[in-house]
Amino acid sequence: MRLYRRQDAPGAASVTVYLHGGGMFLGSLDTHDTRCRIYARLSGAASLSVGYRLAPEHPHPVPMEDCYAVPRWATAHAADLGIDPARIAVRDDSAGGGLAAAVALLSRDRRGPVELIQYPAVHHAFDTFGPGAAVSRRAVGNRVRALSAF
């Protein structure tokens, strides 16, 4: 884990637990460091980035349980971290969205912290754009081809 927080943040800050993208087999605290620094600076909220264990060495449910443990840990250590335990949310990036959705369901079932999902990649077809989508198929291109090449 890595905590990002503005030095001039007044009092106990809200915190977002950040789950990085990378297909659950790529990515790390370092690959998403700049994103977390910018978010903490611009939002005023603290950001707690999770370096969850990656596949294939650590298959499901290991990454999911790693991610679920962080908001619980943050709640238990809120005073030491200078955060408000009642204002903990989860934000995500791409594959981290699948983990965030799982963390939200675990939180519901295990009575854990309340979760917020930013933009999960959870639809199996990778090509569905609903009427309220902020981007179009033309803007994104052929995601299936792009993911296959990846």
Side-chain angles (χ1 to χ4, degrees), residues 23-26 53-60 62-63:
M24 293 187 227
F25 69 96
L26 293 172
R53 292 175 284 177
L54 303 172
E57 294 82 5
H58 303 283
H60 177 76
V62 174

Side-chain angles (χ1 to χ4, degrees), residues 42 51 85 88 105 108 121:
L42 295 178
I88 298 176
L105 292 172
R108 179 197 66 193

Side-chain angles (χ1 to χ4, degrees), residues 13 15-16 23 25 29 31-32 39-40 49-50 56 66 68 71 75 77 79 94 108 113 129 138 145:
V15 66
T16 60
F25 69 96
L29 295 172
T31 60
H32 290 73
Y39 181 83
S49 185
V50 180
D66 285 355
Y68 177 68
T75 301
H77 295 87
S94 192
R108 179 197 66 193
F129 293 95
R138 189 175 324 150
R145 187 174 345 133

